[in-house]
Amino acid sequence: MRLSVWGKRASRTCFGVALLGMMLGMSAAQAQQKALRDPAEPAQGAPHGKGPVRMMRAVARQSVDTKSMLALIGKLVACGTRLTLSSWTDPKRGIGCGRDQIVARFEEIAKASGEKLQVSVDKFEATAERTSGKPVPLENVYAILPGTDPALAKTVFLVSGHFDSRPSDVMDPQADAPGADDDGSGVAVSVECARLLSKLAASGKSGYRATILFVAVSGEEQGLLGSTHLVDWLKDKGYTVGGMLDDDIVGDDPAPGAPHRVRLFSGNGDIEDCDSPSRELARAIEEIDGRDAIRMIFRVDRYGRGGDHYPFYKAGLPAVRFTEPLEDYDHQHQTPRMENGIEYGDFAKYLNAAFLGNVARDNAEALRQLAMAPATPTEVRLKGAVTPDAKLSWKADEDAERAGFEVLWRETTETRWTVFDFVTAAGETALKGVSTDNHFFAVRSVGKNGARSIARASQPEVRPAPGTNKK
């Protein structure tokens, strides 16, 4: 590629700045900052205050049982098809066969956990274009790990995969639809998370303050029907959604160099000048699991596609989607067949066990830490326009297990938050010498155990535009 004259000059300039900085004993980053000639914020130097160190990870990769995950996927594939419009009563073929396999595995895990896990099947009806406009029966499978803190037990963090599958024709209940990757893989992740986290709870090594819900929904391929119902079900049960993790197509990683990072999709929402709860959930997951495990994608979903996190996202709830690095479209939404020497079909032989296990670990660790954290602050407000100091205020209920709050900031062009300060009480704090114009701000709760809540981005003070309040 040929550089323009300006590009060549810019490259020489940057190199010269970095070289000069190193000659003067500065790092390249320090030299670049010096060359930019921006005033320091805050003017008086580094902020003060330090909170508890971050909670250590407890879900080891070797603790993930990929063999049982693949065995469950194999049993789902053996049902022939799991199209939502197929049979709910045939024990050997159809979506009812898939439901039975998931319930049986959840019940095995519940027994091993000393019945800490509570398994149930939620039956309902739904109507959509892909049900020919007629009500059809659907069922979701739930496994609930109740929270131990009375103040947080009605906050729920959930992980979900959809157990329905589809052939090329989404209305054909007779054609085979193995659905190993889409989305037997996501169901296997949800079920394995239930095993990992209920085992930790039974051992006494983890006490989850909030409730964790492990879900397998139906009706995704017919129009996100199971997840849309789930939003209403949670509301009817009085739950507040702390975070929703949707795992859909998370079992394959065929590119050389696998396993790679899993993609994590999050939408921006409608918050003025900042980010949605879903975006903050994505940042929290990346911080818990690490950048070497998570590739954040700042888009609500793949281009032109949709998943079960979408009804939650549209309801203003924090919801994200995990999806494999590069999808193979020959092995999803395809009736099994050979055509021009190419095999089509979503079979288990195309899965990557190492990658699938990594995704399970990433989900389980994120759920564990988020369910052990204090509640997210509320009513985070930013003031300080036309003043030298940014002023943040927020509210939070009393919590004996909370150490305090981290005040977060970032340049408007930066991706991730950094900690500006740690304070022990809710209320208002002034960021001395920090312009409201140049940064975004947020606040998150910090537990004495080191667990962090997802951040709550600040809402700016509403000020009338110049001249609009003239009489």
Side-chain angles (χ1 to χ4, degrees):
M1 181 189 301
R2 296 183 60 188
L3 290 174
S4 67
V5 173
W6 282 107
K8 292 178 180 178
R9 289 177 181 173
S11 297
R12 287 197 294 267
T13 301
C14 291
F15 175 76
V17 168
L19 181 60
L20 176 62
M22 286 184 277
M23 291 173 63
L24 295 175
M26 294 183 287
S27 69
Q30 289 172 325
Q32 182 66 25
Q33 181 63 34
K34 187 173 181 65
L36 293 175
R37 304 296 297 161
D38 293 330
E41 294 185 65
Q44 75 276 17
H48 302 284
K50 188 175 182 181
V53 297
R54 175 167 282 283
M55 173 177 283
M56 296 291 290
R57 298 175 190 170
V59 181
R61 177 60 181 84
Q62 58 267 28
S63 68
V64 178
D65 188 353
T66 52
K67 288 185 178 179
S68 72
M69 296 177 71
L70 292 171
L72 175 59
I73 293 171
K75 291 177 180 178
L76 294 175
V77 170
C79 293
T81 180
R82 304 188 307 278
L83 188 73
T84 300
L85 305 179
S86 63
S87 173
W88 283 99
T89 57
D90 189 331
K92 295 184 177 180
R93 182 178 176 85
I95 191 165
C97 168
R99 173 209 56 214
D100 292 345
Q101 299 301 328
I102 296 163
V103 170
R105 181 60 182 145
F106 269 143
E107 288 180 342
E108 287 178 1
I109 294 168
K111 184 176 180 180
S113 73
E115 304 302 333
K116 286 186 176 293
L117 203 64
Q118 302 168 4
V119 182
S120 65
V121 175
D122 178 21
K123 299 182 179 182
F124 57 100
E125 287 188 343
T127 305
E129 180 181 350
R130 290 183 176 181
T131 68
S132 299
K134 300 176 182 178
V136 297
L138 291 98
E139 299 181 21
N140 291 342
V141 184
Y142 307 143
I144 302 174
L145 195 57
T148 59
D149 188 326
L152 291 175
K154 277 298 184 179
T155 296
V156 63
F157 292 90
L158 61 140
V159 57
S160 178
H162 69 86
F163 68 98
D164 60 310
S165 63
R166 60 160 292 180
S168 302
D169 180 357
V170 73
M171 302 298 289
D172 184 356
Q174 304 304 321
D176 284 348
D181 195 13
D182 185 14
D183 185 33
S185 63
V187 171
V189 166
S190 180
V191 172
E192 179 63 8
C193 284
R195 189 191 70 83
L196 290 164
L197 297 182
S198 64
K199 184 177 181 180
L200 284 172
S203 70
K205 294 181 180 179
S206 281
Y208 309 115
R209 304 184 68 191
T211 292
I212 306 178
L213 176 62
F214 311 94
V215 184
V217 300
S218 64
E220 194 271 354
E221 301 291 5
Q222 307 309 122
L224 312 180
L225 305 181
S227 55
T228 298
H229 170 78
L230 180 56
V231 172
D232 294 332
W233 183 88
L234 289 166
K235 183 178 180 181
D236 291 343
K237 296 294 183 182
Y239 284 109
T240 297
V241 176
M244 188 272 187
L245 282 57
D246 174 28
D247 285 82
D248 196 349
I249 312 178
V250 292
D252 192 14
D253 188 8
H260 301 96
R261 296 185 298 170
V262 66
R263 291 186 292 170
L264 184 65
F265 290 85
S266 64
N268 186 63
D270 301 319
I271 296 179
E272 181 183 355
D273 287 343
C274 212
D275 295 315
S276 71
S278 296
R279 185 64 45 80
E280 301 307 346
L281 176 59
R283 288 192 175 100
I285 293 170
E286 187 207 52
E287 195 168 345
I288 290 168
D289 291 325
R291 297 189 199 181
D292 59 336
I294 302 296
R295 179 184 180 183
M296 290 195 296
I297 307 292
F298 282 3
R299 171 173 272 154
V300 67
D301 207 328
R302 292 112 358 111
Y303 193 63
R305 307 286 293 278
D308 283 320
H309 64 305
Y310 190 72
F312 288 80
Y313 169 74
K314 290 302 289 182
L317 303 171
V320 294
R321 175 184 179 133
F322 289 80
T323 296
E324 61 200 28
L326 291 171
E327 296 174 72
D328 187 338
Y329 303 110
D330 292 343
H331 301 140
Q332 59 175 260
H333 294 190
Q334 296 284 352
T335 301
R337 66 193 187 280
M338 289 293 299
E339 194 172 285
N340 298 323
I342 299 173
E343 183 178 41
Y344 293 89
D346 188 356
F347 297 108
K349 65 182 177 181
Y350 295 113
L351 301 180
N352 182 309
F355 175 76
L356 179 64
N358 288 350
V359 177
R361 174 205 56 201
D362 298 339
N363 275 260
E365 185 60 42
L367 288 166
R368 186 187 78 90
Q369 292 199 27
L370 290 170
M372 296 177 74
T376 301
T378 61
E379 298 184 39
V380 181
R381 300 288 184 263
L382 174 65
K383 297 181 181 179
V386 291
T387 75
D389 306 326
K391 298 180 180 67
L392 275 179
S393 64
W394 65 94
K395 295 181 179 180
D397 293 334
E398 292 295 323
D399 185 348
E401 298 303 315
R402 185 179 58 226
F405 304 90
E406 285 178 337
V407 176
L408 309 174
W409 69 332
R410 74 176 199 270
E411 293 274 346
T412 61
T413 52
E414 287 295 322
T415 301
R416 300 169 180 88
W417 296 113
T418 56
V419 178
F420 178 87
D421 208 352
F422 175 80
V423 296
T424 57
E428 182 173 281
T429 187
L431 285 61
K432 296 290 186 181
V434 175
S435 168
T436 56
D437 307 327
N438 302 339
H439 301 85
F440 292 142
F441 304 93
V443 181
R444 68 183 175 195
S445 301
V446 182
K448 293 176 180 178
N449 58 8
R452 269 72 172 167
S453 74
I454 69 171
R456 179 84 67 187
S458 65
Q459 287 276 27
E461 180 182 16
V462 178
R463 296 172 60 84
T468 59
N469 59 347
K470 289 183 178 180
K471 294 182 179 180

